[in-house]
Amino acid sequence: MVCLSGFTAFTGLLFLMICMKRYDATFSSSMFVGSFIISASIMAAIHYDTFQHLQGLVNYIMYPAGLGILMIGLNILVQDTEEVEGQNNNTQNERNVANAPEMVRLNF
């Protein structure tokens, strides 16, 4: 069981490394953290009976609200990353057009 858990963790890190090479690190890390928070919250609710240990109505409101605020923050990070990436692509396309040789029109 210990070997399997170590293998799973190492494989997850390899996938994260591949993702960070392919995509922006801010996007990759925020997606990793978001999935970790959600999965850890679900596992804690199942294994440790988190919701049975909450006392008072305020805790029942604040716990999901805190998770929601974290997810909203991660969503903002991902959207900002996509906007910057789109701007970089547009700038790169403009550079390619500016550096391209002029087209010669042949009139026959």
Side-chain angles (χ1 to χ4, degrees), residues 36-46 48-71:
F36 178 75
I37 289 170
I38 293 297
S39 63
S41 297
I42 292 171
M43 287 187 284
I46 293 170
Y48 297 114
D49 297 324
T50 302
F51 294 107
Q52 290 181 356
H53 297 291
L54 294 177
Q55 310 231 334
L57 184 62
V58 173
N59 289 329
Y60 280 105
I61 294 170
M62 296 304 285
Y63 185 79
L67 291 176
I69 290 170
L70 282 170
M71 292 299 112

Side-chain angles (χ1 to χ4, degrees), residues 12-100:
L13 287 176
L14 287 176
F15 281 129
L16 179 63
M17 184 180 67
I18 292 168
C19 182
M20 284 187 165
K21 286 182 180 179
R22 180 172 289 182
Y23 303 106
D24 185 41
T26 305
F27 174 80
S28 303
S29 61
S30 62
M31 295 306 288
F32 177 76
V33 168
S35 65
F36 178 75
I37 289 170
I38 293 297
S39 63
S41 297
I42 292 171
M43 287 187 284
I46 293 170
H47 189 269
Y48 297 114
D49 297 324
T50 302
F51 294 107
Q52 290 181 356
H53 297 291
L54 294 177
Q55 310 231 334
L57 184 62
V58 173
N59 289 329
Y60 280 105
I61 294 170
M62 296 304 285
Y63 185 79
L67 291 176
I69 290 170
L70 282 170
M71 292 299 112
I72 290 170
L74 291 173
N75 190 18
I76 290 170
L77 274 176
V78 169
Q79 287 178 352
D80 286 345
T81 302
E82 289 174 353
E83 288 175 8
V84 169
E85 188 174 301
Q87 291 172 356
N88 288 342
N89 288 340
N90 290 339
T91 305
Q92 184 64 32
N93 289 339
E94 291 171 2
R95 287 183 194 153
N96 290 341
V97 169
N99 293 334

